[in-house]
Amino acid sequence: MTSNQPYLLRAFFDWIVDNDLTPYIVVDATNSLVDVPQEFVQDGQIVLNISPSACVNFYLDKDGLSFQARFSGQPRSLSMPCEAVLAIYARENGAGTVFAPEGMPADDSAGSEAPVLEEAKTDAEVPPQTPPKPRGKPNLKIIK
């Protein structure tokens, strides 16, 4: 049976973009088939913004993911197999999923509880929420 990861990756990508959020992926940069800028890899992983506004020529199918993006102003071509993607999430609220590494069973036939996945850590800034508007009469100030 083929892996469901490429299908889930596409579904989460579409869902995040359809909700006007920014899709980020965490990639295992130690995979030999991963082609990413190594100078941005930390602890064997790289976090990439894959929003339509951040990358061009985006292509995702059951075999892999490829696109072009700018790093420090320089255009770069990136590619990776789907199994190298460890997680996909929305930058703004962290909604997404973490994928089990290949070779690890998704479910345990012994009937034990499912593992609890921790939220992916990222250095991406979360924009502050706008405070609620005060109620009452509008107030206009003249500034000279």
Side-chain angles (χ1 to χ4, degrees), residues 11-23 88-90 95-96:
F12 272 97
F13 173 81
D14 290 342
W15 175 70
I16 291 168
V17 171
D18 287 351
N19 284 282
D20 296 321
L21 300 173
T22 310
I88 182 169
Y89 63 96

Side-chain angles (χ1 to χ4, degrees), residues 1-84:
M1 182 181 280
T2 61
S3 171
N4 64 359
Q5 185 171 345
Y7 303 98
L8 294 172
L9 187 58
R10 168 57 80 184
F12 272 97
F13 173 81
D14 290 342
W15 175 70
I16 291 168
V17 171
D18 287 351
N19 284 282
D20 296 321
L21 300 173
T22 310
Y24 274 48
I25 56 173
V26 180
V27 179
D28 176 8
T30 63
N31 184 312
S32 62
L33 299 175
V34 171
D35 184 14
V36 296
Q38 292 298 311
E39 59 269 26
F40 296 98
V41 172
Q42 293 181 340
D43 299 324
Q45 298 179 350
I46 186 168
V47 178
L48 301 168
N49 177 349
I50 59 169
S51 68
S53 63
C55 56
V56 295
N57 298 329
F58 183 82
Y59 183 75
L60 172 61
D61 69 1
K62 64 181 181 173
D63 296 321
L65 165 70
S66 64
F67 58 93
Q68 294 175 337
R70 290 187 174 272
F71 289 83
S72 301
Q74 298 297 316
R76 305 283 288 267
S77 293
L78 291 83
S79 65
M80 64 218 62
C82 289
E83 62 267 12

